[in-house]
């Protein structure tokens, strides 16, 4: 690979979008903190730098800054939104609190009359009001300098977000920066990633066995597929079926992986998990009990195996970027299979997906022959349906929810443009209904469907009435224990995606 583009993070929510877009243009990218030193950058020797947006105002004390020596390294820099404001401010220009902030799609007019005006996503209060020496404005909106450049120093700024799909030609702007300004070669390919990881895994594991907790989620599944390609016969996958999977899911996982060159162990532990959850209604208590029981079962199964010195995990690049970036308050204790190495003693941990974004993991899964149903799977919480059954979890309630969820997924699955996540929730409310000539008193199912980019926030999806109607009539007629279907129309915040 002949070059890396560094994406310096100044707190914008778009850093992964930018880095992902760069990679999708066949140029390798990495995300680094905004305060990385010029010395470190010199060591990495990137082909170009992109500075992200962020929620701060440059003239406020304590707002993030890059190392000022960066601008003199001769490496091309593109500053986006806050990145442009910071660059202009640090180089002697002026940034002012915007009298008229711009939010949403705004018409941008290039100074060069040969180029057409275009709509671009803006999201800013402040704006650059005087450019530093050497800079020229290259585009404007009605109220701000929308783009600027100092060609001599290869410094570029855009006030809008070219990484957003709401900016017309945004991808082309990034592409032009990469190829025309940075001269980056288009040589980043997922096939190369597979080759280097296969070699790395082989070198690390040699002839030893590797253990993987396979949940059936996208990351652990792709991890299993990659490992079985690298070290066929040395991989042991333990699939702890806690009984909270969706309809048919456990069997699908078994079908897919028992065909591959690995040892697949399915542990049917539904009874054990349900026994532990008896009488427990509190959501956090349920999550903790399931997390702990999961580790105990995994530990017991691993102990039975004997000689398995390595542990593999499906950690992906955003997990690493996020854990270095500090977290806000814990809203829910997310139960994942991470954290296992603290419990069991292993000689080493193998994380072959640690350099990839989620889209790349999906693409890799396809290249490795995993079925689409697995690779394009929606996010699914570790504790599974146990946190979609409100209150105490029982086998009967799980069966009702599984059937309702299957209907909902089938109906929404037929839509051309689907929400990003959709599922059914079994509420702990019963309501009166009438079926035939009889009064019923049965369960209420809630429909949850959201659109989101990052799952940190979301909007409820406005499902067409026809789809909602079909979901409701099918669930109430096909599942006798349900008397009513309601639609959750809450965004996040204030609600979360999951109900518990
Ligand atoms: P919330 O409910 O926190 O969910 O708004 C945000 C996203 O995370 C998923 N989610 C989980 N994923 N383990 C996971 O791996 C969990 O315990 C968990 N809880 C929620 C949720 O489905 C949504 O996509």
């Amino acid at each position: 690979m002949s070059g890396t583009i560094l994406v310096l993070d100044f707190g914008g929510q778009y850093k992964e979008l930018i880095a992902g877009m760069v990679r999708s243009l066949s140029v390798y990218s990495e995300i680094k903190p905004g305060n990385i030193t010029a010395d470190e950058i010199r060591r990495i020797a990137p082909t170009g730098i992109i500075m992200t947006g962020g929620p701060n105002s440059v003239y406020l004390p304590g707002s993030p800054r890059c190392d000022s020596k960066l601008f003199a390294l001769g490496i091309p820099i593109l500053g986006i939104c806050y990145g442009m404001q910071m660059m202009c401010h640090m180089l002697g220009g002026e940034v002012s609190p915007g009298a008229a902030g711009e939010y949403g799609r705004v018409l941008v007019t290039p100074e060069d009359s040969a180029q057409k005006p275009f709509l671009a996503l803006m999201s800013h209060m402040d704006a650059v009001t005087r450019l530093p020496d050497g800079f020229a404005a290259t585009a404007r909106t009605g109220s701000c300098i929308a783009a600027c450049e100092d060609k001599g120093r290869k410094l570029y700024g855009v006030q809008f977000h070219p990484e957003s799909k709401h900016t017309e030609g945004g991808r082309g702007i990034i592409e032009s920066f990469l190829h025309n300004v940075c001269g980056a070669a288009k040589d980043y390919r997922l096939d190369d990633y597979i080759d280097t990881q296969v070699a790395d895994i082989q070198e690390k594991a040699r002839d030893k066995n590797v253990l993987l907790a396979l949940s059936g989620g996208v990351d652990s599944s792709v991890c299993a597929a990659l490992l079985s390609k690298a070290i066929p016969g040395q991989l042991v996958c333990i699939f702890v079926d806690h009984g909270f999977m969706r309809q048919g899911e456990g069997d699908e996982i078994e079908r897919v992986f028992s065909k591959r060159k690995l040892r697949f162990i399915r542990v049917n532990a539904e009874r054990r998990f349900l026994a532990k959850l008896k009488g427990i209604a509190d959501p956090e208590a349920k999550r903790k009990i399931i997390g702990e029981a999961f580790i105990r079962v995994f530990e017991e199964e691993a102990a039975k195996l004997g000689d398995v010195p390595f542990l593999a995990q499906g950690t992906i690049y955003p997990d690493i970027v996020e854990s270095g970036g500090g977290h806000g308050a814990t809203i829910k204790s997310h139960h994942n299979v991470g954290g296992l190495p603290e419990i069991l003693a292993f000689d080493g941990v193998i994380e072959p997906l640690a350099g990839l974004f989620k889209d790349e993991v999906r693409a890799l899964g396809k290249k490795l022959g995993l079925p689409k149903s697995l690779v394009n799977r929606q996010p699914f919480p570790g504790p599974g349906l146990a946190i979609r059954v409100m209150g105490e979890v029982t086998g009967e309630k799980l069966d009702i929810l599984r059937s309702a969820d299957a209907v909902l997924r089938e109906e929404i699955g037929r839509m051309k443009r689907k929400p990003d996540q959709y599922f059914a929730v079994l509420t702990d409310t019963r309501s009166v209904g009438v079926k035939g000539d009889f009064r019923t008193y049965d369960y209420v199912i809630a429909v949850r469907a959201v659109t989101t980019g990052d799952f940190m926030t979301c909007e409820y999806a406005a499902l067409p009435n026809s789809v909602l109607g079909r979901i409701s009539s099918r669930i109430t007629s096909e599942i006798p224990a349900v008397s009513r279907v309601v639609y959750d129309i809450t965004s996040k915040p204030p609600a979360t995606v999951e109900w518990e």
Side-chain angles (χ1 to χ4, degrees):
M1 228 172 306
S2 63
T4 297
I5 295 292
L6 287 190
V7 175
L8 303 195
D9 175 22
F10 291 96
Q13 40 182 333
Y14 296 114
K15 58 180 181 287
E16 285 168 19
L17 215 54
I18 299 169
M21 186 179 269
V22 171
R23 287 193 188 185
S24 73
L25 289 161
S26 308
V27 178
Y28 182 65
S29 68
E30 280 185 21
I31 300 171
K32 296 284 178 196
N35 62 0
I36 184 173
T37 63
D39 284 343
E40 266 178 275
I41 296 227
R42 237 185 247 113
R43 200 176 42 73
I44 300 169
T47 324
I49 294 173
I50 301 181
M51 295 177 170
T52 73
N56 291 277
S57 285
V58 285
Y59 41 78
L60 291 182
S63 57
R65 294 271 183 283
C66 66
D67 185 336
S68 58
K69 294 193 213 92
L70 247 65
F71 300 114
L73 292 177
I75 300 170
I77 298 179
L78 171 65
I80 296 177
C81 194
Y82 179 84
M84 160 168 156
Q85 294 168 8
M86 184 188 64
M87 178 160 66
C88 291
H89 178 77
M90 290 177 74
L91 292 172
E94 199 172 282
V95 177
S96 308
E102 292 172 308
Y103 297 93
R105 273 156 65 97
V106 175
L107 192 71
V108 170
T109 308
E111 296 281 283
D112 175 357
S113 56
Q115 288 179 31
K116 280 203 194 117
F118 59 95
L119 286 169
L121 183 78
M122 290 280 187
S123 178
H124 68 110
M125 268 304 286
D126 305 341
V128 174
T129 40
R130 185 167 49 78
L131 289 168
D133 289 346
F135 274 79
T138 50
R140 294 179 192 272
T141 68
S143 57
C144 81
I145 297 173
C148 61
E149 66 182 25
D150 177 340
K151 267 194 175 159
R153 285 189 283 179
K154 296 191 190 153
L155 302 178
Y156 296 78
V158 286
Q159 181 56 67
F160 55 88
H161 290 273
E163 72 277 22
S164 162
K165 61 178 189 295
H166 299 297
T167 293
E168 287 170 354
R171 190 178 164 84
I173 292 172
I174 300 274
E175 188 169 23
S176 159
F177 175 70
L178 299 180
H179 302 303
N180 303 338
V181 179
C182 305
K186 291 187 179 185
D187 58 1
Y188 173 66
R189 295 178 330 125
L190 266 185
D191 289 309
D192 294 342
Y193 189 91
I194 298 180
D195 295 345
T196 50
Q197 282 308 315
V198 164
D200 278 7
I201 295 165
Q202 286 168 342
E203 175 166 340
K204 199 157 186 188
R206 298 194 178 271
D207 57 350
K208 306 268 178 24
N209 290 330
V210 177
L211 181 61
L212 173 73
L214 182 67
S215 69
V218 179
D219 304 343
S220 67
S221 298
V222 176
C223 190
L226 185 54
L227 281 156
S228 68
K229 179 177 169 78
I231 44 168
Q234 286 164 247
L235 176 64
V236 188
C237 291
I238 298 182
F239 165 44
V240 176
D241 187 350
H242 46 27
F244 309 138
M245 305 298 277
R246 288 165 289 198
Q247 199 166 71
E249 214 166 26
D251 294 343
E252 189 198 7
I253 295 164
E254 182 165 355
R255 207 168 39 244
V256 169
F257 289 99
S258 40
K259 277 196 230 128
R260 297 209 158 222
K261 288 182 182 151
L262 51 86
R263 185 166 159 210
F264 179 84
I265 300 171
R266 177 175 181 172
V267 190
N268 290 314
E270 176 172 6
R271 289 240 296 274
R272 184 165 168 179
F273 277 80
L274 278 179
K276 293 237 178 256
L277 289 176
K278 198 164 171 48
I280 307 291
D282 176 68
E284 278 302 282
K286 279 160 62 174
R287 281 172 180 271
K288 291 220 163 70
I289 289 169
I290 295 167
E292 271 162 30
F294 182 92
I295 290 170
R296 288 294 92 74
V297 174
F298 186 80
E299 234 173 357
E300 284 170 23
E301 292 300 319
K304 282 187 209 159
L305 291 172
D307 185 31
V308 185
F310 286 95
L311 182 77
Q313 297 202 116
T315 315
I316 68 170
Y317 190 47
D319 300 335
I320 292 177
V321 173
E322 287 311 325
S323 60
H327 279 296
T330 306
I331 311 283
K332 291 173 189 174
S333 51
H334 277 204
H335 152 67
N336 281 318
V337 289
L340 286 171
E342 291 163 25
I343 315 285
L344 295 162
F346 287 97
D347 290 356
V349 176
I350 297 178
E351 297 181 308
L353 308 180
L356 298 182
F357 288 107
K358 194 81 180 189
D359 286 350
E360 295 179 299
V361 173
R362 293 189 207 278
L364 193 76
K366 282 184 201 140
K367 279 184 187 289
L368 293 168
L370 289 177
K372 268 200 197 141
S373 56
L374 236 168
V375 170
N376 295 333
R377 187 161 278 184
Q378 298 178 42
F380 187 60
L385 299 184
I387 56 156
R388 292 179 182 170
V389 167
M390 300 300 96
E392 189 186 1
V393 185
T394 65
E396 183 216 359
K397 288 183 186 172
L398 284 168
D399 286 342
I400 296 169
L401 176 58
R402 250 190 292 268
S403 307
D405 185 67
V407 169
L408 179 151
R409 285 193 297 131
E410 192 182 317
E411 290 300 333
I412 297 183
R414 290 204 187 107
M415 288 170 58
K416 236 193 187 136
R417 288 200 52 195
K418 300 180 213 0
D420 297 298
Q421 194 174 358
Y422 45 96
F423 54 88
V425 173
L426 182 68
T427 72
D428 51 2
T429 298
R430 287 183 177 227
S431 89
V432 174
V434 55
K435 281 188 186 170
D437 291 334
F438 297 100
R439 176 187 182 278
T440 58
Y441 187 56
D442 278 318
Y443 286 104
V444 178
I445 284 283
V447 174
R448 184 67 164 144
V450 299
T451 55
T452 176
D454 57 6
F455 296 92
M456 307 287 280
T457 60
C458 76
E459 302 292 326
Y460 78 88
L463 292 178
N465 280 343
S466 55
V467 175
L468 285 170
R470 261 199 312 279
I471 291 172
S472 167
S473 69
R474 276 196 59 195
I475 289 179
T476 46
S477 63
E478 291 174 27
I479 309 164
V482 178
S483 62
R484 196 175 290 262
V485 176
V486 295
Y487 184 25
D488 178 353
I489 50 167
T490 332
S491 296
K492 172 184 179 180
T496 49
V497 175
E498 302 289 345
W499 275 39
E500 285 195 341

Short mmCIF file of all heavy atoms in Angstrom, two decimals, residues 269-290:
data_model
loop_
_atom_site.label_atom_id
_atom_site.label_comp_id
_atom_site.label_asym_id
_atom_site.label_seq_id
_atom_site.Cartn_x
_atom_site.Cartn_y
_atom_site.Cartn_z
N ALA A 269 -28.58 -24.10 26.04
CA ALA A 269 -28.62 -23.76 27.47
C ALA A 269 -29.88 -22.99 27.85
O ALA A 269 -29.91 -22.32 28.88
CB ALA A 269 -27.37 -22.94 27.80
N GLU A 270 -30.94 -23.11 27.04
CA GLU A 270 -32.14 -22.30 27.30
C GLU A 270 -32.70 -22.54 28.71
O GLU A 270 -33.02 -21.59 29.43
CB GLU A 270 -33.22 -22.63 26.26
CG GLU A 270 -34.51 -21.89 26.56
CD GLU A 270 -35.58 -22.01 25.48
OE1 GLU A 270 -35.37 -22.76 24.52
OE2 GLU A 270 -36.61 -21.33 25.62
N ARG A 271 -32.77 -23.84 29.10
CA ARG A 271 -33.37 -24.15 30.42
C ARG A 271 -32.57 -23.50 31.54
O ARG A 271 -33.12 -22.94 32.48
CB ARG A 271 -33.42 -25.67 30.61
CG ARG A 271 -34.45 -26.36 29.74
CD ARG A 271 -35.51 -27.11 30.55
NE ARG A 271 -34.92 -28.21 31.31
CZ ARG A 271 -34.73 -29.44 30.81
NH1 ARG A 271 -35.10 -29.72 29.57
NH2 ARG A 271 -34.19 -30.38 31.53
N ARG A 272 -31.25 -23.55 31.39
CA ARG A 272 -30.38 -22.99 32.42
C ARG A 272 -30.55 -21.47 32.54
O ARG A 272 -30.64 -20.92 33.63
CB ARG A 272 -28.94 -23.34 32.04
CG ARG A 272 -27.95 -22.92 33.05
CD ARG A 272 -26.64 -23.62 32.74
NE ARG A 272 -25.58 -23.02 33.52
CZ ARG A 272 -24.34 -23.43 33.49
NH1 ARG A 272 -24.00 -24.45 32.74
NH2 ARG A 272 -23.42 -22.84 34.22
N PHE A 273 -30.64 -20.82 31.39
CA PHE A 273 -30.80 -19.36 31.40
C PHE A 273 -32.18 -18.98 31.97
O PHE A 273 -32.29 -18.04 32.76
CB PHE A 273 -30.63 -18.77 29.99
CG PHE A 273 -29.19 -18.55 29.60
CD1 PHE A 273 -28.40 -19.59 29.16
CD2 PHE A 273 -28.61 -17.29 29.72
CE1 PHE A 273 -27.07 -19.40 28.81
CE2 PHE A 273 -27.28 -17.07 29.38
CZ PHE A 273 -26.50 -18.13 28.92
N LEU A 274 -33.20 -19.72 31.56
CA LEU A 274 -34.56 -19.39 32.05
C LEU A 274 -34.65 -19.59 33.56
O LEU A 274 -35.27 -18.80 34.27
CB LEU A 274 -35.61 -20.24 31.33
CG LEU A 274 -36.03 -19.74 29.96
CD1 LEU A 274 -37.07 -20.67 29.33
CD2 LEU A 274 -36.60 -18.32 30.03
N ALA A 275 -33.98 -20.64 34.05
CA ALA A 275 -34.00 -20.90 35.51
C ALA A 275 -33.38 -19.72 36.25
O ALA A 275 -33.87 -19.27 37.28
CB ALA A 275 -33.27 -22.20 35.81
N LYS A 276 -32.28 -19.21 35.70
CA LYS A 276 -31.59 -18.08 36.36
C LYS A 276 -32.45 -16.81 36.34
O LYS A 276 -32.33 -15.95 37.20
CB LYS A 276 -30.27 -17.77 35.64
CG LYS A 276 -29.24 -18.86 35.77
CD LYS A 276 -27.98 -18.29 36.38
CE LYS A 276 -26.93 -19.36 36.58
NZ LYS A 276 -26.76 -19.80 37.92
N LEU A 277 -33.29 -16.69 35.31
CA LEU A 277 -34.10 -15.46 35.17
C LEU A 277 -35.45 -15.55 35.87
O LEU A 277 -36.22 -14.59 35.84
CB LEU A 277 -34.33 -15.17 33.68
CG LEU A 277 -33.11 -14.70 32.89
CD1 LEU A 277 -33.45 -14.54 31.41
CD2 LEU A 277 -32.59 -13.36 33.42
N LYS A 278 -35.73 -16.69 36.49
CA LYS A 278 -37.05 -16.88 37.12
C LYS A 278 -37.30 -15.78 38.16
O LYS A 278 -36.47 -15.51 39.02
CB LYS A 278 -37.10 -18.26 37.78
CG LYS A 278 -38.51 -18.69 38.06
CD LYS A 278 -38.58 -20.19 38.35
CE LYS A 278 -39.94 -20.61 38.85
NZ LYS A 278 -41.07 -20.13 38.08
N GLY A 279 -38.43 -15.12 38.02
CA GLY A 279 -38.82 -14.10 39.00
C GLY A 279 -38.11 -12.76 38.82
O GLY A 279 -38.34 -11.82 39.57
N ILE A 280 -37.23 -12.64 37.80
CA ILE A 280 -36.46 -11.39 37.62
C ILE A 280 -37.15 -10.51 36.57
O ILE A 280 -37.33 -10.93 35.43
CB ILE A 280 -35.02 -11.69 37.15
CG1 ILE A 280 -34.33 -12.69 38.06
CG2 ILE A 280 -34.21 -10.40 37.01
CD1 ILE A 280 -34.01 -12.18 39.44
N ALA A 281 -37.48 -9.28 36.95
CA ALA A 281 -38.17 -8.39 36.01
C ALA A 281 -37.33 -7.16 35.68
O ALA A 281 -37.56 -6.51 34.66
CB ALA A 281 -39.51 -7.96 36.60
N ASP A 282 -36.35 -6.83 36.51
CA ASP A 282 -35.58 -5.61 36.30
C ASP A 282 -34.63 -5.76 35.09
O ASP A 282 -33.85 -6.71 35.02
CB ASP A 282 -34.77 -5.31 37.57
CG ASP A 282 -33.88 -4.09 37.36
OD1 ASP A 282 -34.44 -3.00 37.24
OD2 ASP A 282 -32.64 -4.27 37.28
N PRO A 283 -34.68 -4.81 34.13
CA PRO A 283 -33.89 -4.95 32.90
C PRO A 283 -32.39 -5.09 33.13
O PRO A 283 -31.74 -5.95 32.53
CB PRO A 283 -34.16 -3.66 32.13
CG PRO A 283 -35.38 -3.08 32.72
CD PRO A 283 -35.54 -3.62 34.11
N GLU A 284 -31.83 -4.27 34.00
CA GLU A 284 -30.38 -4.34 34.24
C GLU A 284 -30.02 -5.66 34.90
O GLU A 284 -29.00 -6.28 34.58
CB GLU A 284 -29.89 -3.17 35.08
CG GLU A 284 -29.65 -1.90 34.28
CD GLU A 284 -28.63 -2.07 33.17
OE1 GLU A 284 -27.43 -2.10 33.43
OE2 GLU A 284 -29.05 -2.19 31.99
N ALA A 285 -30.86 -6.12 35.84
CA ALA A 285 -30.60 -7.41 36.51
C ALA A 285 -30.62 -8.53 35.47
O ALA A 285 -29.76 -9.41 35.46
CB ALA A 285 -31.63 -7.64 37.61
N LYS A 286 -31.57 -8.45 34.53
CA LYS A 286 -31.65 -9.49 33.49
C LYS A 286 -30.37 -9.51 32.65
O LYS A 286 -29.77 -10.56 32.41
CB LYS A 286 -32.87 -9.22 32.58
CG LYS A 286 -34.18 -9.71 33.18
CD LYS A 286 -35.42 -9.06 32.59
CE LYS A 286 -35.68 -9.28 31.14
NZ LYS A 286 -37.01 -8.72 30.73
N ARG A 287 -29.94 -8.32 32.23
CA ARG A 287 -28.71 -8.23 31.42
C ARG A 287 -27.51 -8.82 32.16
O ARG A 287 -26.72 -9.58 31.59
CB ARG A 287 -28.39 -6.78 31.07
CG ARG A 287 -29.20 -6.23 29.94
CD ARG A 287 -28.96 -4.74 29.80
NE ARG A 287 -29.75 -4.21 28.70
CZ ARG A 287 -29.34 -4.16 27.45
NH1 ARG A 287 -28.13 -4.56 27.12
NH2 ARG A 287 -30.12 -3.68 26.50
N LYS A 288 -27.38 -8.47 33.44
CA LYS A 288 -26.22 -8.94 34.21
C LYS A 288 -26.25 -10.45 34.38
O LYS A 288 -25.24 -11.13 34.20
CB LYS A 288 -26.18 -8.26 35.59
CG LYS A 288 -25.86 -6.79 35.48
CD LYS A 288 -24.91 -6.30 36.58
CE LYS A 288 -24.32 -4.96 36.18
NZ LYS A 288 -25.35 -3.87 36.21
N ILE A 289 -27.44 -10.98 34.70
CA ILE A 289 -27.56 -12.43 34.90
C ILE A 289 -27.22 -13.16 33.61
O ILE A 289 -26.48 -14.15 33.60
CB ILE A 289 -29.00 -12.78 35.37
CG1 ILE A 289 -29.18 -12.27 36.81
CG2 ILE A 289 -29.26 -14.28 35.27
CD1 ILE A 289 -30.62 -12.31 37.30
N ILE A 290 -27.72 -12.65 32.49
CA ILE A 290 -27.46 -13.33 31.21
C ILE A 290 -25.97 -13.25 30.87
O ILE A 290 -25.36 -14.24 30.46
CB ILE A 290 -28.31 -12.70 30.07
CG1 ILE A 290 -29.79 -12.94 30.35
CG2 ILE A 290 -27.92 -13.27 28.71
CD1 ILE A 290 -30.75 -12.13 29.50
#
